Amino acid sequence: MPRTVTVGLDGSPESRAAAEWAAREALLRGLPLKIVHVAEPAPVLVAQAPQVGPETSQHWAGSVPREAAEGLRLRHPGLEVLTEQLTGPVTESLCDAADSAELLALGSRGFGGIGGFVVGSVSLAVVARVERPVVLVRAGEQAADEHRMDPAGVPSAATPYLPVVLALDVDHPDDTLLEFAFDAAVRRETPLRVVSVWPETAVSYYRFPGDLGLQDEVERNHRTALAEALRPWRQKFPGADVIEANRCGSAAQAVVDASREASLAIVGRRIRTGSLGAHIGHVTHAALHHIGAPVAVVAHG
């Protein structure tokens, strides 16, 4: 079966925003869109209760993906939209759906009490477990948000895309992550801004003679490492417009700052199989909670 762009839909505003984003992404990739709705099994006593009239939970559950698909077909002519109704634990069902997908889109809610986005436990659990890319889309996300303002300063989906932002660790540059980022930028015909951060050296706190020279050497080595990591991908994607954004300090803060005007932010998640379970890392955690643009989490080895 051909891969799809898959979205988890539960009828909430954030999942509907994710469905709209997934539809646009499916058109960019030339793939079908699959809408997956998961209905958890009803408790035994509820399941045994008599159902009155057509508005049963099963009927309502089936109407969610069906009505969403009809709307998406109207708003995105030419898009092939599939639906799938699943029953079972939500996290496990979405993880299974992601296995056969090119990527999985999920929703994240609006700003929380400390100025960040609220990422639900299901979304976090899926992000930490699946090995396919997962894109989290905030509630209220619209196509125009991913594009530059028009000449009159009005939001428009007809203008060029804002840059794609990639957070890259030059000590462990991963091919899966880099290919996803270059491909996303080229498809959008927009620059790829690669953010790479090195920590401030310990001696910089003491200001001994020669500190400046050491800092300069660290920076030069870091810039060289980033250029070398990107070289084969510039060759593979000769049309890519790549901006190397080297920074010193906090990687999480640098990525959040660089993504304030982005069509898509991309972060990695190292696949771990240890006894302590899955982790998403502090940079990815910060990106999911504080970046307004859609955030793609790409699992890699």
Side-chain angles (χ1 to χ4, degrees):
M1 291 182 61
R3 286 193 178 273
T4 62
V5 172
T6 299
V7 60
L9 182 72
D10 60 9
S12 64
E14 55 269 22
S15 72
R16 292 188 181 279
E20 290 290 343
W21 182 90
R24 300 192 296 271
E25 185 69 15
L27 287 172
L28 275 177
R29 292 173 175 264
L31 293 174
L33 170 67
K34 179 187 283 188
I35 300 172
V36 173
H37 180 265
V38 183
E40 292 191 276
V44 174
L45 292 178
V46 174
Q48 292 176 347
Q51 303 291 346
V52 180
E55 295 299 325
T56 64
S57 60
Q58 183 177 2
H59 176 82
W60 180 86
S63 70
V64 171
R66 183 174 60 252
E67 292 174 359
E70 291 172 358
L72 288 167
R73 292 188 187 103
L74 289 173
R75 291 188 294 277
H76 303 278
L79 175 66
E80 180 183 358
V81 184
L82 312 172
T83 62
E84 185 173 15
Q85 179 71 49
L86 301 176
T87 301
V90 176
T91 298
E92 286 75 6
S93 298
L94 290 174
C95 288
D96 290 342
D99 288 341
S100 60
E102 192 74 12
L103 61 82
L104 174 68
L106 299 172
S108 63
R109 296 192 291 279
F111 283 102
I114 58 174
F117 289 99
V118 180
V119 183
S121 58
V122 169
S123 295
L124 282 177
V126 172
V127 165
R129 287 174 53 181
V130 304
E131 297 187 7
R132 301 299 304 166
V134 181
V135 179
L136 290 217
V137 182
R138 67 177 175 86
E141 166 72 15
Q142 299 184 25
D145 297 334
E146 300 161 26
H147 293 256
R148 301 182 187 278
M149 295 283 190
D150 73 6
V154 177
S156 171
T159 57
Y161 277 95
L162 292 165
V164 170
V165 173
L166 167 65
L168 184 67
D169 179 359
V170 297
D171 292 329
H172 304 93
D174 183 82
D175 288 351
T176 302
L177 180 63
L178 283 160
E179 183 168 23
F180 184 93
F182 271 81
D183 180 73
V186 168
R187 288 183 187 278
R188 289 165 172 77
E189 299 181 346
T190 193
L192 173 63
R193 178 175 291 126
V194 183
V195 180
S196 186
V197 179
W198 72 92
E200 193 169 11
T201 58
V203 295
S204 64
Y205 295 106
Y206 302 102
R207 306 303 176 191
F208 290 134
D211 288 354
L212 184 58
L214 178 58
Q215 287 278 35
D216 288 345
E217 181 181 358
V218 171
E219 180 177 351
R220 283 195 303 271
N221 290 340
H222 187 89
R223 289 181 182 276
T224 299
L226 177 58
E228 288 300 316
L230 296 177
R231 188 186 308 280
W233 296 98
R234 288 179 184 270
Q235 295 171 350
K236 185 173 182 179
F237 292 87
D241 178 8
V242 183
I243 301 170
E244 298 179 19
N246 290 276
R247 299 288 185 271
C248 176
S250 164
Q253 188 62 55
V255 172
V256 171
D257 290 344
S259 301
R260 297 193 190 283
E261 290 191 352
S263 58
L264 178 68
I266 303 171
V267 293
R269 178 187 72 81
R270 188 170 296 280
I271 297 172
R272 295 182 173 90
T273 57
S275 59
L276 295 179
H279 301 277
I280 64 172
H282 73 283
V283 174
T284 299
H285 190 274
L288 293 178
H289 286 85
H290 296 289
I291 292 177
V295 177
V297 181
V298 181
H300 59 83

